[in-house]
Amino acid sequence: MNFIYFLTLALQAALVFALSTFLFDMVHYLLHRWQHSRFALLREFSRWHDVHHKFLDAEMNVHPNWAKANLWCHLMPEFIVSILGTLLLVVFFDWIAVALVILVHTGLFVLRVRDEGKDVNHMNMDRLNGRRGHVFVTPTYHALHHVYPNQFFSSFLSLFDVIFGTNCQIKGQRFLVTGASGAYGQALTARLEKLGAIVDTAKFGEDYEIDKYDGLSEKMRKADILVLAHGSKSDDCWTANYTSFVDLIEKFRVIGKDRLTPPEIWAVGSEIELHGDMGIESLKPYATSKQAFAARAREFYTSPDLTYRHVVPAAFTSRMGKGLMSADVAAALSLFFIRRGFTYVPVTYTTLAVWNYIRFRFIPWPKSVRKAPIFNKSA
């Protein structure tokens, strides 16, 4: 009986902590929205919070001269809001669970005061990790809020950002898109521009050729995010779907190696990564090239030097063939997941892309998969 009670208490405390931090994240979001409020008091609250962003600026430099102001304008109000938000939950949960969470918040506050506002999430950083985390807020995750103050509001769990789509900076970001004349690339470009992105394009045969990428150097230096949306189902699949993807990613990685935030890449895969050519001879070149890239993409996905997003759509209508959804719907669904922090993006009505996550992340690919097949050796 005692074991069950303590287990229930622990579960309640965990839930209280999650809910109390979610309430704080809502206030955090409002503090940024109140910056231009017509009410002077709300603008004043927003200015208090702005002190915190002066203490740790967008270049991830801590300014000790703002430490005292950060204590009174940010740490103290943050603590008070956290305690009040936790106390509200006593109506629904065991008071002991609520008291335990209050002790946790108090302990964290004392540690921050002792360290003059510096902790694992608030320190000087020269380079952020490409692996941001998703469920839990990591130091890199929170650092991104200081780099992009209108995104990444979550404090401990990413729930707020997942629900409200504030887990990816798009407005003002510079995108370089390949395959922008294709159905998906064109739809994605239009939606990115509507969200305030600055979009440039790179076209094969004009801006670059295989093994000839110098013409893209300037565009890549200007870009924050590289989107690889080109590809082929019939002509020279290995070059289109594997070689060019890998070469462009590696070039972008080198160009962005000294940036504070690692280069970000969105690359379009396919559900054929999971089910292969299904014995259909005409699909063999496409399936082989896509599976080979997926095998290589796992390295990009786990690299601390990149933020890599693998977009896996089900068939959509394009020049490559018919599908049960339009390219615009595929682009909309891609952005829905990306804005919620997904780095593996399943754009599917078949669920195959969901199951493919297991294939993509956890099942070793045979070494033979990465070798150019006979029918593409001329590439």
Side-chain angles (χ1 to χ4, degrees):
M1 187 68 177
N2 286 339
F3 172 77
I4 294 175
Y5 172 73
F6 286 123
L7 179 61
T8 302
L9 195 65
L11 291 174
Q12 285 196 37
L15 187 55
V16 169
F17 184 79
L19 290 173
S20 68
T21 55
F22 182 81
L23 291 172
F24 171 79
D25 296 341
M26 292 179 66
V27 174
H28 186 193
Y29 169 79
L30 291 172
L31 288 170
H32 284 268
R33 291 297 300 270
W34 288 341
Q35 184 178 5
H36 303 292
S37 173
R38 60 193 180 96
F39 299 107
L41 181 61
L42 298 183
R43 291 198 304 273
E44 184 64 23
F45 289 154
S46 181
R47 278 194 288 270
W48 289 2
H49 180 67
D50 190 54
V51 168
H52 181 58
H53 287 271
K54 292 177 179 177
F55 171 70
L56 179 60
D57 65 23
E59 300 298 321
M60 294 309 295
N61 295 313
V62 172
H63 297 276
N65 56 306
W66 284 97
K68 186 174 288 186
N70 183 59
L71 168 62
W72 293 108
C73 294
H74 172 71
L75 291 179
M76 186 64 74
E78 177 186 54
F79 176 63
I80 292 171
V81 169
S82 296
I83 296 301
L84 291 177
T86 306
L87 284 172
L88 289 174
L89 298 173
V90 78
V91 177
F92 307 101
F93 297 95
D94 191 310
W95 72 269
I96 297 178
V98 172
L100 289 172
V101 174
I102 288 175
L103 285 174
V104 171
H105 283 307
T106 302
L108 292 172
F109 173 69
V110 169
L111 290 174
R112 288 166 183 159
V113 171
R114 184 198 68 182
D115 296 330
E116 299 182 322
K118 290 184 285 187
D119 60 22
V120 68
N121 287 335
H122 301 91
M123 63 176 70
N124 293 312
M125 293 186 184
D126 297 321
R127 171 84 166 174
L128 304 188
N129 193 308
R131 302 294 292 152
R132 301 172 175 182
H134 187 56
V135 177
F136 298 100
V137 173
T138 64
T140 291
Y141 189 113
H142 184 72
L144 287 165
H145 173 66
H146 285 266
V147 177
Y148 305 114
N150 293 313
Q151 298 288 315
F152 306 98
F153 294 102
S154 297
S155 53
F156 286 92
L157 299 173
S158 65
L159 184 61
F160 180 90
D161 292 324
V162 170
I163 292 174
F164 294 102
T166 50
N167 201 306
C168 179
Q169 179 71 26
I170 291 179
K171 185 176 181 180
Q173 291 288 81
R174 298 164 300 180
F175 285 77
L176 179 59
V177 182
T178 67
S181 60
Y184 179 84
Q186 192 171 28
L188 185 65
T189 295
R191 286 187 171 273
L192 287 171
E193 290 177 335
K194 191 174 181 180
L195 291 170
I198 302 164
V199 181
D200 198 358
T201 62
K203 189 171 183 180
F204 179 74
E206 293 184 9
D207 296 297
Y208 70 95
E209 294 180 8
I210 300 303
D211 296 327
K212 297 178 181 178
Y213 301 102
D214 289 344
L216 274 182
S217 296
E218 186 59 29
K219 288 189 175 185
M220 283 191 171
R221 276 193 285 270
K222 293 179 180 179
D224 300 302
I225 298 173
L226 173 65
V227 180
L228 301 177
H230 64 280
S232 175
K233 268 191 175 178
S234 54
D235 299 328
D236 203 359
C237 290
W238 188 263
T239 297
N241 303 328
Y242 178 84
T243 307
S244 61
F245 270 56
V246 172
D247 289 349
L248 289 168
I249 290 172
E250 292 293 0
K251 182 175 180 64
F252 196 50
R253 186 210 295 261
V254 171
I255 285 176
K257 63 184 176 61
D258 296 323
R259 296 178 182 178
L260 173 64
T261 56
E264 182 167 340
I265 294 102
W266 305 358
V268 179
S270 170
E271 289 185 334
I272 207 167
E273 295 167 20
L274 179 67
H275 59 67
D277 58 43
M278 301 178 292
I280 302 172
E281 191 63 27
S282 61
L283 283 180
K284 188 176 180 181
Y286 180 65
T288 301
S289 60
K290 280 296 188 180
Q291 288 181 335
F293 176 70
R296 183 65 183 274
R298 185 187 296 174
E299 298 174 14
F300 301 137
Y301 189 85
T302 57
S303 172
D305 300 322
L306 298 170
T307 295
Y308 176 82
R309 301 185 195 273
H310 196 65
V311 183
V312 183
F316 55 84
T317 299
S318 70
R319 289 194 297 268
M320 292 186 183
K322 292 289 185 179
L324 294 181
M325 65 179 170
S326 68
D328 186 59
V329 169
L333 289 174
S334 299
L335 288 171
F336 176 86
F337 286 115
I338 289 170
R339 294 175 71 187
R340 284 155 180 80
F342 284 69
T343 48
Y344 179 88
V345 184
V347 182
T348 183
Y349 47 80
T350 66
T351 77
L352 289 177
V354 177
W355 295 110
N356 184 57
Y357 177 72
I358 301 172
R359 160 81 277 180
F360 178 74
R361 285 288 286 118
F362 303 113
I363 301 177
W365 290 91
K367 291 182 180 179
S368 60
V369 166
R370 297 185 188 179
K371 294 181 180 179
I374 292 174
F375 52 73
N376 272 321
K377 281 192 174 179
S378 60

